Structure formats: structure tokens, C-alpha cells
């Protein structure tokens, strides 16, 4: 009977450990954006966005007939970093306050001067200012949409309606605390297993180690399923800018999830090794 209850508790512990791993992965994806300054901007994201800027401005240059290279030089890494920081604050406002943040903006004065001096604008000097302002606005929209590929007005209205029906802020705070609740529950179940198994202590390690090993296998399997679910191709089709940011977030989260599974697997090996009966 003791073995039955011990294995039953080990099964429950496996479930709580799996929930801990899944919620921990979600927490690691969300938590950086909860800071006062938003999530930090990765250098690799800035470099990849710089290439996307080149592609977008080149396409607009073919459409409007201006020289692409001077304009590409005006949208430098400093500009992209500033826009990404604004986007981080926008997401931080959504997660912390349940409201969309301020609209992303950047000063296009220098960009307009470059466009106004462009040979395409000088063909008609009287309309050069209008040409520069129009093209600069199109570039502004394209770059902002790349950094934050969301319909900001629509999301703002959606959050207002959702806020009337649910307390979004408290729900997010509850979710962020869920991993530690699951971990505490797992420790409690491990203590109950130790009480049921009795002395010597190594008897309980067999059940605890089995729970750790099973949880590690399931967490790794879920991570593989998630990576193979075809989410990235859908995002890539929708937005190249969002793809860059998504890959950066997922790569970091998956590394942490893999380390967590490795720690559980190591705990499984140690527990099972320690549970072996000593020969006389």
C-alpha cells in the first residue's frame, strides 16, 4: 500500500514539475518586459533589423525614384535602438498596466533634408519639400511597422474592452507567480513521499528521481513539439520584423528551458544512484 501511494504522489509530482517548467518558460519570456525600462534590446536584433531597413528603403526608392544609400545611412543603429526601446515600453505598458503604450515616433528632420537634396526632388524644386515630407512619412511608417508590427489603435481598443471583462494586470501577475507555486507544491509532495517511504531516506529517492526524470522528458518533448509546430513560418509570412524579435525571444527561452530540463535529469540520475541498496 505504501508503494502505491508513493508512486501516486510521484505521478502528481511529475505533473507539478511539468507545470513548473512550462510556466517558468512563459515567465522568462514575459518577465524582461515587466521592468521600468522594458525588455533590453539585443544587438543581434538591431543588426538584423538594419538589414530589413535596407530592404524596405530600397523598395521605396524604386517606387519613388530617390537614391537609397543616403537614406539608409540616416536610419542608423542609434535610431533603431531608440525605436526598439520605445517598443519595449509599449509592451511593458500592455503587460503592467493593461493599456497600450505611446505611439512610436522618431524625428525625420534629417531624413527630410536628405530627401529634399536628392536629384529626384530637385527635378521639381517647388515640390521638393512636399516630396521629401511624403517620402519621409512613408519611410517612418515602414520602419515603425517593422519594429512594432502591431495595429496599435486596434490593440488599444481591444485592451480597453478586455479590461472591462477581466483584470488583465492581476492575471499576468498571477501567472508570473505560478512557477514558484508549482515548485513549492513539488517540494511539498517530495516531503510527503519521504514520509510515506520511511527510513532509510534513500527509499524515497527512487520515487522522487523517477518524477524528475519523467518531467524532464516531457518538458523536452513539449519544447520540441513547440519548435516543430510551424509557428515561425506563420510569423515570418506575417512580418519579417516580428520574426527577428520572436526568434530572439524564443532562442533565449528555449536555452533556459533546456537548462532546466538538464537540471531535472541530473537530479533524476543522482536520486536513482543514491537509492540503490548497498550490498553487505
Amino acid at each position: 500500500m505504501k508503494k502505491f501511494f508513493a508512486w501516486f504522489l510521484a505521478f502528481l509530482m511529475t505533473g507539478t514539475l511539468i507545470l513548473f517548467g512550462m510556466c517558468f518558460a512563459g515567465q522568462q519570456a514575459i518577465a524582461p518586459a515587466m521592468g521600468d525600462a522594458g525588455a533590453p534590446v539585443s544587438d543581434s536584433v538591431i543588426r538584423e533589423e538594419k538589414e530589413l531597413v535596407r530592404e524596405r528603403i530600397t523598395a521605396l526608392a524604386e517606387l519613388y525614384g530617390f537614391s537609397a544609400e543616403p537614406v539608409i545611412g540616416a536610419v542608423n543603429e542609434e535610431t533603431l535602438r531608440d525605436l526598439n526601446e520605445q517598443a519595449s515600453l509599449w509592451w511593458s505598458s500592455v503587460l503592467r498596466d493593461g493599456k497600450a503604450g505611446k505611439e512610436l515616433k522618431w524625428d525625420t528632420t534629417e531624413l527630410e533634408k536628405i530627401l529634399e537634396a536628392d536629384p529626384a526632388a530637385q527635378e521639381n524644386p517647388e515640390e521638393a519639400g512636399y516630396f521629401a515630407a511624403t517620402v519621409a512619412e512613408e519611410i517612418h511608417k515602414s520602419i515603425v511597422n517593422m519594429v512594432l508590427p502591431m495595429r496599435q489603435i486596434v490593440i488599444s481598443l481591444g485592451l480597453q474592452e478586455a479590461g472591462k471583462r477581466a483584470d488583465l494586470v492581476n492575471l499576468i501577475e498571477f501567472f508570473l507567480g505560478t512557477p514558484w507555486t508549482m515548485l513549492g507544491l513539488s517540494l511539498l509532495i517530495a516531503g510527503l513521499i519521504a514520509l510515506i517511504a520511511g527510513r532509510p531516506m534513500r527509499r524515497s529517492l527512487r520515487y522522487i528521481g523517477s518524477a524528475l526524470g519523467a518531467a524532464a522528458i516531457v518538458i523536452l518533448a513539449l519544447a520540441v513539439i513547440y519548435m516543430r509546430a510551424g509557428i515561425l513560418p506563420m510569423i515570418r509570412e506575417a512580418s519579417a520584423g516580428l520574426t527577428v524579435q520572436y526568434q530572439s525571444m524564443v532562442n533565449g527561452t528555449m536555452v533556459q528551458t533546456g537548462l532546466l530540463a538538464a537540471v531535472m535529469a541530473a537530479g533524476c540520475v543522482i536520486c536513482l544512484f543514491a537509492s540503490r541498496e548497498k550490498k553487505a
Side-chain angles (χ1 to χ4, degrees), residues 13 15-31 171-188 219 253 256-257 260 264:
M13 185 177 174
T16 56
L17 286 172
I18 292 170
L19 288 174
F20 164 67
M22 295 172 61
C23 293
F24 178 79
Q27 183 198 56
Q28 296 307 301
I30 294 174
L171 285 175
I172 292 173
E173 290 181 355
F174 173 80
F175 175 75
L176 292 176
T178 301
W180 312 121
T181 303
M182 291 296 104
L183 181 59
L185 186 57
S186 299
L187 294 174
L188 176 61
I219 289 172
T253 302
Q256 293 172 331
T257 303
L260 177 63
M264 289 184 179

Side-chain angles (χ1 to χ4, degrees), residues 37-271:
V41 183
S42 170
D43 291 337
S44 61
V45 170
I46 298 297
R47 286 194 297 269
E48 292 188 49
E49 285 184 347
K50 183 66 175 174
E51 293 302 316
L52 293 177
V53 167
R54 175 176 291 277
E55 294 176 6
R56 293 192 173 210
I57 292 179
T58 301
L60 288 173
E62 293 177 358
L63 178 62
Y64 287 97
F66 62 88
S67 300
E69 288 303 324
V71 177
I72 292 171
V75 187
N76 51 32
E77 291 188 3
E78 182 180 352
T79 299
L80 290 175
R81 191 172 298 278
D82 178 65
L83 286 172
N84 276 276
E85 289 174 355
Q86 291 183 51
S88 295
L89 291 174
W90 189 89
W91 281 113
S92 180
S93 178
V94 170
L95 296 173
R96 295 175 60 187
D97 305 323
K99 300 177 181 178
K102 296 180 179 179
E103 186 177 352
L104 273 62
K105 293 182 179 180
W106 57 292
D107 189 3
T108 58
T109 302
E110 181 183 353
L111 187 62
E112 290 181 21
K113 291 180 180 179
I114 293 172
L115 289 167
E116 196 170 348
D118 190 90
Q122 291 302 315
E123 291 179 0
N124 189 357
E126 295 180 357
E127 299 292 332
Y130 175 77
F131 173 84
T134 302
V135 175
E137 180 62 23
E138 290 297 319
I139 294 172
H140 179 276
K141 290 180 181 178
S142 180
I143 303 305
V144 166
N145 185 59
M146 178 196 71
V147 175
L148 186 62
M150 304 289 172
R151 295 181 180 272
Q152 299 179 46
I153 297 177
V154 175
I155 291 179
S156 179
L157 294 174
L159 289 171
Q160 289 178 8
E161 291 299 320
K164 295 177 182 178
R165 293 166 173 78
D167 192 342
L168 299 177
V169 176
N170 284 335
L171 285 175
I172 292 173
E173 290 181 355
F174 173 80
F175 175 75
L176 292 176
T178 301
W180 312 121
T181 303
M182 291 296 104
L183 181 59
L185 186 57
S186 299
L187 294 174
L188 176 61
I189 295 174
L192 292 175
I193 292 173
L195 288 174
I196 290 175
R199 295 183 179 181
M201 187 67 179
R202 65 172 177 268
R203 289 180 181 176
S204 63
L205 295 180
R206 179 195 315 170
Y207 308 105
I208 295 172
S210 298
L212 286 168
I217 292 172
V218 173
I219 289 172
L220 286 176
L222 290 174
V224 172
I225 291 171
Y226 178 81
M227 296 299 291
R228 301 289 296 177
I231 296 175
L232 181 60
M234 289 190 295
I235 294 176
R236 184 180 290 115
E237 185 176 350
S239 170
L242 185 59
T243 301
V244 171
Q245 297 169 9
Y246 172 80
Q247 286 180 314
S248 177
M249 181 196 70
V250 168
N251 290 341
T253 302
M254 286 301 166
V255 168
Q256 293 172 331
T257 303
L259 290 174
L260 177 63
V263 170
M264 289 184 179
C268 169
V269 173
I270 293 171
C271 288

